[in-house]
Amino acid sequence: MVDFPVARNLDNARAVGPLGRLRAARSVLVCVLAKAIADAVTQRRNFILWPFAMIVGLIIYRILPMEPALLTLGLGIGAALILAISGRNSVGIREAALLGLLVGLGMMLLPVHGALFGTPMLETARYGTYTARIDAVIFNDGEEQRWILSDIAAAEGMADWTVPDIRLARVSVSGAYAVSSGDTIKARIRFYPVPAPAVPGGYDSQFISYFDGIGAYGNVLGEVSTAAAQESDLSRFVNDIRGAITARLVAQLGDRIGGIAAALITGDQSRISEADYDVMAEAGIVHVISISGLHLTLVAGTMFAVVRFVLALSHRLPQRFPVKKIAAGFGIVTAFAYMLLSGMVIPAVRSTIMLALVFAAIIAGRQALTMRNVAIAALIIIIFEPSTVFRASFQLSFAAVVALIAAYELVRRRRDNRETPVRAKAFGMTIGVAMTSVIAGLATVVFTAYHFQQTAPFGVVGNLMIMPIVSFVMMPAALLGTLLIPIGLDVLPYAALGWSIEAMLWCAAFVRELSGGFDPSPILSPAALIVALAALAWLAYFRNRIRLSGPILAVPIITIFCIERAPDIFIADQSQAVAVRHDGAVALMAGRNGTFATNVWSERYITSIADSHDATRCDSLGCVLETDQGYTIALVKDRSAFDEDCRIADVVIARIKAPEVCRSAAHLVIDASELARYGAHMVDWNGPEASPTIRTGIDTPSRPWRLASD
């Protein structure tokens, strides 16, 4: 229904023509929006914006060119706090000041977290024989392992200066070692600096590693001497259980199916083959093998339903005890146990917090599935692990949960207005199970396109096919089989689990064949994530159907303003790889294919890279290529080539320092100093009259997580 003032505006608009219609439409939009805001304020939904405000603060801190002045930041936070307190008589001023306060606190989180848990970053490689403690085994496929090491010290005969001044290190080890957290090792190790992003906007391992306390990567060379920990702790006990379950699954179901089953139960994806992973990714169902909210909800929800059903079989128990609340308690215990068993991966921790809030609401007699609970869970995670906001796993799970709760709220409001027959409820539950993944997939499409260059347009079909299998067979069988291991009755449930995995792989292969390899993944800029965040805030804040306008408007905004084109020139920071677009193809001028840099370029920009262009002319001093876009690019390998190449080339690339006279002669010069400070370079040639567009892997070189911060 249209309110009377709005209807009157529309009548006036018809009388005065197109301009009046525009004014009336604006009046309608303002009226509808004001009504929606008033409804949200009345329902105390401003709290839902708190985590979004803190995320904005985290983003501002992350993109600053240098560390903010803590005194200035503290004064700003204090001013916002005073304004929030003194403006209590004005709701608008108070709420705006409160959100500003939360933005300021968000900017403070990462500096505080870095001071408490950060580490100096190793800048030059170190080699020697060391002793260390294994904090965690994060990868183990039977042939290779990855360990997180702490307490690194020089072995006998090694100088102390060879020990890297870092808190933790991540090292790769060849071979199968029966080790667990708490064990000590002695080995020859080569430590090297944590690499910078290989592409602009790519995964920033330096940023993530710094806040995780990991200051170096490394390789273990030769044999390793190990010594078991003298004391047993919870983490070692849990790791032993995880290893035993994985071994049992592989023994019963084989390496292929057992490896996928282990990923579902223990979170260990190291045994999943690349071929199976690619098939599931192309079908849009790869989320099934990553323990997250879906798995925890199915496992803890199954336990909740089973316990409640069993207790309800008794006539007296439901009358004397709160059966639903007891079942919720079992659900909480199950969720925390599954979180520990999964290795406490970040998505599992987030989902456990959310489930604990849901079950706690049931115990307290409150409404369980609310956007406020999502906000509380997000705030807990943001405060204690602020760097996770910049990880794909957080963004994917947060977006999916917000969208699912929003959908639930819309459906619930419709159900509250009418009675639903029993048959319709049963049909609705069946459709709801299938639609869960569809809604989550739509909510996360921007994040999967940005981080993984995958949109899986036929993923809806894949999820509709496999979700009933996952919900009603796979996860219940995994739960039952794991619970029955102590009494040796896990064979039949694990057999059903294996069958469900085979069915899932068949569905994935079918969807891939159906799609024919079609995946129109755009190359998104980081701005797309900002737009998606704003759309999620809009979706979460409002209650009525106006909430859908945020995600709908985000689509054209991202399409018009947030899509990047693939670069014309690709320059790696550490390897020798340089690739150039010429005559409709991308090929190397230097370096070799199959390296980490070229593989990332191919995946990020969805393009194949050939070994060389036929038109490239090379000698011992360098290479020159006249491109079809009208510019000449020169790759200088020797100082004696600068004089000639800087005169004939528009773009000069050198891994040695270029003379100043070269910069005045050439259109663009990228030499060793730029590569050392800004890492990988991607260049768009915009013609001879315009400056090239340059995007770099390191956008903030003067920050504490960089190797050479000012």
Side-chain angles (χ1 to χ4, degrees), residues 565 568-569 627-632 650-651 666-668 683-694:
R565 70 174 188 178
D568 297 314
I569 304 172
T627 69
D628 61 340
Q629 297 185 52
Y631 71 93
T632 301
D650 300 286
V651 178
H667 207 75
L668 173 66
V683 180
D684 299 331
W685 179 257
N686 298 319
E689 303 301 326
S691 299
T693 301
I694 303 173

Side-chain angles (χ1 to χ4, degrees), residues 27-109:
S27 299
V28 171
L29 291 175
V30 171
C31 181
V32 171
L33 182 58
K35 186 176 180 180
I37 293 174
D39 174 73
V41 172
T42 302
Q43 297 297 320
R44 297 184 298 175
R45 292 178 74 88
N46 287 348
F47 175 74
I48 294 170
L49 297 178
W50 287 21
F52 290 97
M54 297 193 79
I55 290 173
V56 170
L58 290 170
I59 294 173
I60 293 174
Y61 171 80
R62 173 66 179 82
I63 64 177
L64 287 175
M66 60 186 65
E67 289 295 291
L70 296 183
L71 178 60
T72 303
L73 191 55
L75 291 175
I77 292 174
L81 179 60
I82 293 172
L83 190 60
I85 296 174
S86 61
R88 59 181 178 271
N89 295 327
S90 176
V91 176
I93 295 177
R94 182 187 62 193
E95 294 299 332
L98 183 57
L99 291 178
L101 172 64
L102 291 166
V103 170
L105 291 175
M107 293 181 66
M108 288 287 292
L109 281 176

Side-chain angles (χ1 to χ4, degrees), residues 47 51 100 118 174 190 199 222 285 333 388 393 421 431 445 448 462 574 590 618 656 693:
F47 175 74
S174 297
R190 179 185 178 272
V199 292
I285 62 171
V333 173
T388 62
S393 57
I431 295 298
V445 66
T448 54
Q574 294 182 344
C618 292
I656 54 180
T693 301

Side-chain angles (χ1 to χ4, degrees), residues 476-705:
L479 173 63
L480 182 60
T482 304
L483 292 175
L484 293 178
I485 284 179
I487 58 177
L489 297 179
D490 56 300
V491 176
L492 288 179
Y494 277 170
L497 173 61
W499 170 83
S500 66
I501 292 173
E502 291 177 348
M504 178 185 70
L505 292 174
W506 182 89
C507 292
F510 172 79
V511 173
R512 184 180 65 173
E513 292 296 326
L514 183 67
S515 66
F518 175 71
D519 187 3
S521 300
I523 304 172
L524 298 180
S525 68
L529 302 183
I530 306 297
V531 176
L533 177 67
L536 283 176
W538 186 279
L539 181 67
Y541 182 64
F542 295 109
R543 289 204 313 154
N544 52 26
R545 283 179 293 180
I546 196 175
R547 71 195 315 172
L548 299 177
S549 61
I552 292 172
L553 287 174
V555 175
I557 292 174
I558 291 174
T559 302
I560 297 172
F561 300 105
C562 303
I563 293 182
E564 294 182 352
R565 70 174 188 178
D568 297 314
I569 304 172
F570 307 69
I571 310 170
D573 57 342
Q574 294 182 344
S575 70
Q576 297 297 314
V578 175
V580 181
R581 186 180 305 278
H582 167 65
D583 201 18
V586 177
L588 293 172
M589 279 189 73
R592 57 186 179 85
N593 251 325
T595 61
F596 176 77
T598 57
N599 290 339
V600 172
W601 294 346
S602 297
E603 294 173 4
R604 169 66 175 168
Y605 298 110
I606 319 172
T607 185
S608 59
I609 299 177
D611 291 335
S612 64
H613 287 299
D614 293 336
T616 303
R617 307 190 307 273
C618 292
D619 57 24
S620 60
L621 303 180
C623 298
V624 176
L625 172 65
E626 297 179 8
T627 69
D628 61 340
Q629 297 185 52
Y631 71 93
T632 301
I633 179 171
L635 176 64
V636 177
K637 300 179 181 179
D638 189 274
R639 293 185 180 278
S640 59
F642 277 120
D643 183 53
E644 178 182 359
D645 288 350
C646 291
R647 285 186 287 104
I648 66 172
D650 300 286
V651 178
V652 176
I653 301 170
R655 298 194 179 274
I656 54 180
K657 187 172 179 57
E660 288 299 323
V661 66
C662 186
R663 299 183 184 279
S664 59
H667 207 75
L668 173 66
V669 177
I670 300 174
D671 67 357
S673 59
E674 279 86 4
L675 292 173
R677 183 169 176 80
Y678 296 104
H681 282 57
M682 304 292 132
V683 180
D684 299 331
W685 179 257
N686 298 319
E689 303 301 326
S691 299
T693 301
I694 303 173
R695 303 188 297 273
T696 58
I698 299 175
D699 51 355
T700 52
S702 301
R703 305 305 293 273
W705 53 86

Side-chain angles (χ1 to χ4, degrees), residues 277-278 281-282 286 445 448-456 519 521:
Y277 187 91
D278 290 342
E282 292 176 19
V286 74
V445 66
T448 54
Y450 178 82
H451 291 288
F452 308 113
Q453 290 72 54
Q454 292 175 342
T455 55
D519 187 3
S521 300

Side-chain angles (χ1 to χ4, degrees), residues 463-476:
N463 282 283
L464 289 174
M465 292 177 67
I466 64 99
M467 280 312 299
I469 299 173
V470 174
S471 302
F472 299 118
V473 180
M474 184 181 294
M475 296 312 299

